[in-house]
Amino acid sequence: MYLPFLGFASLLAFEVVRQAPTFVTASGKTAEVQVVTAQQGDTTESVVAEGSVMPGNVVNVTLQPDFGGMAVKVPVEVGQKVHKGEILAELSPELETNKLAEAASGVDYMRSQYKLALHPHFPEEIQKARLQIDADEQLVKEARAKLALLVAGNRPEQIDQARTEVQIAQTRYDSAKQNANRMKSLYDQELIPRATLEQANADLDVADNMLTQKKDGLKILQLGARNEEVEAQRATLEHAKVGLQRDERELEVMLQGSHPEQVEMNAAALAQAQAKLSQEHIALEHRFVRAPADGVIIERNINPGEFAIPESARSNALAPITNNLKSLFLIADNSSVEFLADVDQAYFSKVTVGQQVKVGVEAFPGKQFTGKVIRYQPAISPTQGNYNAVTGKAATPLTFPVWIRVQNPDAQLVAGQTGLATMAHPMHGLLIPQAAVNVFTLGEGTVFVVRNGCVRSRSVRFDASSGGKVKILSGLKDGDEVVVSDWTRLTDGAPVRVKEVTANSLTEKAM
C-alpha cells in the first residue's frame, strides 16, 4: 500500500510577490492580480510509502541432491537462536551406511582389476614359462643330436657313450623324484611355499624327459637307423623347434603386460570408484543437518519420524520462502531486516540505491529507524486497496516495490510489522507556486506572466511538486512574474496592475 505525502522542508530562494488593486476581466475592465517572481531555489521533496518488515536474510536449509532419510532427532524449535554449524536435525544413517559399504566394495574390486592390468601374470607363472623354454631348447638340442647320429651311422663307442648317458640321466631322474617326494611331504606340512614344490616337480619333469630321450637315443644306436627313422627324427626336430618358438612368444607377451590403454581405463575406473566412496562418506556426514549461518529459526518443517527429501524450495523477488514443506528449516538473520515499501510510480526516478530512509512502525509510535535503499523492482504494477490521505478516497495507484535495509541490533523489528518509510529527495531548479499552474495533463500546463502591464499565457512543462511548489522545466525563465491569484477570468493580453506583498503571506495562502 502507498500513502503519498509531499512535505515542504526549505525554500532558500527569496520570492517577491506583488498584488494589484484591480482586475481586468474578459470584458476589458482592469483586473487586480497577485504575482510571484520565478526564481532558482532549493527544496526537499518527501516521499512517504506504506510497507511491512521482512526478514533481512533468509537461509533455506535443505538436503544435498540424492540424499534423504528419516529424521530421528530434531532438537530445535521455531524462534530459537542457532549458530553456524549447530545441529538442527539428525537423520537415520541406515540407508547411507549401506551405500557406503557398496562403494567400499566397488573400490576393492576396481583396485584388484587395476593391479591385474599392471601385472597380468604372477612371478611364478613367468618363471614356469622360462623353465618351459629351457626344456624346449634341450629337446631341440637332443633331437638335432639324434638326427645327426642317425645320419652318420653307429659306432660301438657311441653305443657305450649312450649307455653312460642313460645311466647318468637315470641317476638324475631318481634324485629329482626323491627331491620332489620330499618337497611334497614338506609342503603338506606347510613348511615350504607352493612355488618350491612346483620348482621340484618341474625339475622332475625335465629329468624324466631327459631320461626318456637318452633311452630312445640308445635304442636307435642299438637298432641302427632306417630311412623312415631318419625322417621321423627330422619331424621330431621340427616339432621341437615349433614348440620352442611358441613358448618364446608366450613369454614375451607375459613380460610386456597389458596394453597402455587397458591400464589407463582401469586406472580411471578405480578413480571413479574412489570418488564415489568419498561422496558416500560426505553423504553419511550430511545425516547431521547443520545450520549454514547464525540466525533465528522462523520455520521448522520436519519432525522426528518424518522422511526428509532433498528438493529445494524457491521464491521470487517479492515473496520470500515461507511455509514451504520442501525446506527443512528457514533461518532468518535478524541483525538487520528489510522494509518492503510500495512507492508510487511518479517517484520512480527519485529513488536511488543507497538513499537514506526513515522508517516508522506502528509497534513503536514516534520512534524512527534509519535505513537505506538496497534495491528496487524496475517494473510498475497496480497495488489494490490503497487509501489516498490527500484526496480522502480509495485509490489503486501504480507502484513499484522498494527494499530498505534497516539495522536491527536489538531485534526490536520483526517480520510482519507495518509502518511508513519516508524518503527525502532534494530538488533544485526554477520554482513557482503550484497554484499558479493550470494543469492540462501530467507534467504540462499553462501560466499567466505579467509583462509591461499585461498578462501573457505561456505553456510550461514541470517535473515535480513539493510544499506547494513546482519545478519548471521549460516555458519560464528566472525573474518572470507569474500570476498566482484567481487567473480563471483572465485573457491573454489583458492589462493588469500589481502590488508587492510578503513571501510569507503568499506561502501561507498557497499552503
Side-chain angles (χ1 to χ4, degrees):
M1 297 179 65
Y2 167 74
L3 182 62
F5 175 79
L6 304 176
F8 175 71
S10 62
L11 183 62
L12 302 182
F14 174 74
E15 298 178 348
V16 179
V17 182
R18 292 186 285 178
Q19 180 178 356
T22 57
F23 257 104
V24 175
T25 64
S27 61
K29 296 180 179 181
T30 302
E32 172 186 290
V33 295
Q34 292 178 327
V35 299
V36 64
T37 302
Q39 293 181 351
Q40 295 288 333
D42 296 281
T43 187
T44 300
E45 182 180 15
S46 296
V47 179
V48 180
E50 285 188 346
S52 60
V53 177
M54 300 173 56
N57 183 29
V58 177
V59 180
N60 175 29
V61 183
T62 58
L63 298 177
Q64 69 171 10
D66 301 325
F67 180 76
M70 185 182 70
V72 294
K73 293 181 182 179
V74 185
V76 295
E77 299 291 344
V78 173
Q80 179 177 336
K81 291 184 179 180
V82 294
H83 299 285
K84 182 177 181 180
E86 184 175 341
I87 294 177
L88 307 180
E90 180 180 349
L91 307 183
S92 173
E94 296 178 0
L95 181 61
E96 294 308 314
T97 300
N98 294 336
K99 291 182 178 179
L100 184 63
E102 292 177 1
S105 299
V107 170
D108 291 340
Y109 174 74
M110 292 312 306
R111 184 178 288 112
S112 65
Q113 293 299 306
Y114 176 63
K115 288 182 178 180
L116 184 60
L118 287 177
H119 308 288
H121 299 282
F122 295 106
E124 52 268 26
E125 292 178 323
I126 296 176
Q127 180 62 24
K128 186 176 180 180
R130 286 196 173 104
L131 293 175
Q132 183 61 47
I133 291 176
D134 292 341
D136 292 342
E137 290 175 344
Q138 185 64 28
L139 287 176
V140 171
K141 182 179 179 181
E142 293 176 354
R144 186 178 287 112
K146 288 181 180 180
L147 179 61
L149 289 175
L150 290 174
V151 173
N154 303 320
R155 293 190 296 274
E157 57 272 19
Q158 291 175 323
I159 296 176
D160 293 338
Q161 179 64 31
R163 285 195 183 99
T164 301
E165 291 178 356
V166 169
Q167 292 174 354
I168 294 174
Q170 183 67 49
T171 301
R172 289 180 177 175
Y173 173 77
D174 294 341
S175 177
K177 185 174 182 181
Q178 182 180 4
N179 184 59
N181 292 334
R182 187 169 65 88
M183 293 299 105
K184 177 64 169 58
S185 175
L186 294 175
Y187 178 76
D188 292 340
Q189 298 176 48
E190 299 183 353
L191 298 177
I192 61 172
R194 183 176 183 82
T196 304
L197 175 61
E198 291 180 349
Q199 181 63 50
N201 289 333
D203 294 341
L204 178 60
D205 291 340
V206 172
D208 185 34
N209 292 333
M210 183 67 67
L211 178 59
T212 301
Q213 293 171 9
K214 294 299 181 182
K215 288 180 178 180
D216 292 342
L218 179 59
K219 288 180 181 180
I220 292 173
L221 290 175
Q222 289 174 339
L223 295 175
R226 295 189 295 272
N227 290 334
E228 58 270 23
E229 292 176 339
V230 174
E231 295 301 324
Q233 188 58 37
R234 285 197 176 97
T236 300
L237 176 58
E238 293 301 321
H239 180 72
K241 290 180 179 180
V242 171
L244 175 61
Q245 293 173 353
R246 180 191 65 245
D247 292 339
E248 286 177 340
R249 287 195 301 269
E250 290 180 357
L251 177 61
E252 182 180 0
V253 171
M254 293 174 70
L255 294 175
Q256 288 178 349
S258 301
H259 294 293
E261 56 269 21
Q262 181 66 35
V263 175
E264 184 177 350
M265 183 174 65
N266 284 16
L270 175 59
Q272 184 177 2
Q274 290 172 332
K276 181 173 178 58
L277 178 60
S278 178
Q279 291 175 352
E280 294 303 333
H281 276 293
I282 296 174
L284 183 61
E285 172 60 24
H286 279 196
R287 70 188 178 94
F288 296 103
V289 181
R290 300 180 184 273
D294 295 345
V296 177
I297 301 292
I298 62 173
E299 289 289 342
R300 193 190 89 169
N301 298 317
I302 188 70
N303 295 307
E306 295 178 345
F307 196 83
I309 57 177
E311 299 179 25
S312 297
R314 293 291 180 265
S315 66
N316 58 42
L318 298 178
I321 305 170
T322 55
N323 299 321
N324 193 322
L325 296 182
K326 294 179 181 179
S327 303
L328 298 183
F329 302 92
L330 293 180
I331 300 176
D333 178 9
N334 283 338
S335 62
S336 64
V337 295
E338 292 181 6
F339 188 87
L340 177 58
D342 287 326
V343 181
D344 192 281
Q345 65 165 345
Y347 303 101
F348 185 81
S349 62
K350 307 299 189 300
V351 177
T352 59
V353 174
Q355 184 175 355
Q356 294 295 314
V357 183
K358 294 293 184 181
V359 175
V361 296
E362 295 180 6
F364 302 99
K367 184 178 179 60
Q368 294 288 319
F369 297 87
T370 301
K372 65 178 180 179
V373 176
I374 56 173
R375 64 184 183 278
Y376 57 89
Q377 182 77 15
I380 308 300
S381 60
T383 301
Q384 301 292 337
N386 281 332
Y387 179 79
N388 191 316
V390 175
T391 63
K393 300 179 181 179
T396 306
L398 295 177
T399 64
F400 64 99
V402 176
W403 285 267
I404 302 162
R405 176 65 53 79
V406 182
Q407 295 303 315
N408 189 33
D410 298 328
Q412 292 180 298
L413 299 176
V414 297
Q417 291 175 330
T418 59
L420 297 176
T422 303
M423 290 168 276
H425 176 67
M427 186 171 65
H428 174 81
L430 188 64
L431 304 178
I432 65 171
Q434 186 175 359
V437 183
N438 179 22
V439 178
F440 288 155
T441 185
L442 185 63
E444 295 181 359
T446 61
V447 297
F448 282 103
V449 177
V450 176
R451 176 166 293 185
N452 298 326
C454 298
V455 290
R456 296 295 181 182
S457 177
R458 287 195 187 170
S459 297
V460 294
R461 292 177 58 248
F462 57 91
D463 178 25
S465 62
S466 176
K469 302 293 181 179
V470 294
K471 176 182 177 181
I472 300 298
L473 301 178
S474 64
L476 292 177
K477 63 180 182 297
D478 194 8
D480 283 344
E481 294 183 335
V482 182
V483 176
V484 294
S485 57
D486 186 7
W487 39 257
T488 58
R489 293 182 297 167
L490 296 179
T491 58
D492 189 37
V496 295
R497 290 187 300 172
V498 297
K499 180 181 179 181
E500 292 185 358
V501 297
T502 64
N504 289 336
S505 298
L506 176 60
T507 301
E508 292 173 359
K509 183 175 181 179
M511 295 181 66

